Amino acid sequence: MKQTHSTMSTFRKSAVALCVCAATVFAASTPAQAKSGEINVMLFAGPIASFTQQNLPDFEKESGIKVNLTIIGGEVINTKTSTELLGSGTSFDVISIRGDSMPFYGIKGVLADLTPYLKDAKLTPASYDLKSIPDALMNFYRWDNKQVGMPWQVASYITYYRKDLLEAAGLTHPPKTAEEYRSYAQKLNAPPKVYGTGLTMKKSHNLTSEYFQWLSTFGGGVIDSHGKVILDSPEARQALKYYVSLRKFAPEDVTNWAYERLTTGLSQGEVAMAVQWTDTAAVMLEPKQSKVVGKMAFAAAPVAKVPAAVIGGWGLTIPSSSHNKEDAFKFIRWATGQAMSRKVADLGGTPFRTSLLRDKDLSVKFPWFNAQADAEEVAVPRPRTPAWPAIDDAMSTILARVVTGELSVDAGVTQMAAAAKQQIGN
């Protein structure tokens, strides 16, 4: 285990250094259209992107394809992606895109259909093992019955909990239901030493996502299968009332907590539990960053009425305007293939393939892998509508007023539904 910690630490440190360097390169210039046997690739900054960069020489040697790699972090990549794809023609052959943005770009027809390449036995051999990728994740990157992207980085909501605190309180298992979660939070709440739960109640897309997680398990949603807004349903009210009720067992300033602050709260032992994204789980095992090494455990997200786990992440896509689609697909096949996925998993990066998440040896080293696999079995994507970015922003603004008490639950639900209807037009 000591060696595992060291490896993961090196993995993340190299990620920071490489991402800063790549962002500087991006700022200096935009690559010209790649020639045959050469591709331009733009990836979202993070450990997996940096690990991909480190291993590029292997791909270039095996394939004979030269890769010009650009790595960009933060919101900059979203702006750059929009400019590239919606402009006169992109200079990139592979672009990583957030899964919840697929409808926005899918409806505009700017992404190539990867289905023919996936069906070609020479381009996608059996060893790629498509069956080990859950269909829910493949659906995340489909649009209009076309596979316009492949999963690359995937995260889901799971429960983080302090097993030592649960044991001391006589609680023999992690909270399995929404009611158990709230009762555990109340029982474990002992401020200022430790709070029962942590939340991301600051206005951001994570506030919307956190509410959407509870909304989904309460049996509600934003839009139904016919595209009708259902944010003013009884389930939506129940979910929001429940979500707001958790605040009393959280730190007083939790309305200023975003994703990063919750990660700190968990790793520093400030909160006993949280429903949080899996991509921050490795931090809990790092002795230099965490005070809860050996104390933090992971489980599936609590269920109210319906098992559900909101998924997020980034997929790899090929712009329709690319002149090097086959070479671009070969890169995607390599970057998302079994060998690279295994390397990432060995370093503590959360894989998306079920075969790796359920691997017994890996699950011992990285105890959130099984919870991630459970989450993928009940995965719920953000609403599949091009209007989602605008709806997300409106919802987070309204939710921020509800969690601070400025708006009532009923008023919040009504206003969110109205905002969504305005964006969708129904």
Side-chain angles (χ1 to χ4, degrees), residues 103-127:
F104 178 79
Y105 291 111
I107 200 170
K108 297 179 185 299
V110 295
L111 301 176
D113 182 9
L114 307 185
T115 307
Y117 304 112
L118 292 168
K119 290 183 176 180
D120 187 324
K122 291 183 179 179
L123 289 174
T124 309
S127 59

Side-chain angles (χ1 to χ4, degrees), residues 207-226:
L207 170 56
T208 308
S209 297
E210 194 169 66
Y211 169 60
F212 186 53
Q213 170 63 34
W214 292 110
L215 176 64
S216 299
T217 190
F218 270 87
V222 175
I223 56 175
D224 64 16
S225 58
H226 303 290

Side-chain angles (χ1 to χ4, degrees), residues 90 125 141 147 172 248 272-273 278 282 302 305 307 309 315 321 325 330 354 399:
T90 179
Y141 300 98
Q147 194 70 48
T172 59
K248 66 173 69 76
M273 303 184 304
T278 48
K305 297 178 182 177
S321 59
K325 291 185 179 67
K330 289 177 181 178
T354 304
L399 285 167

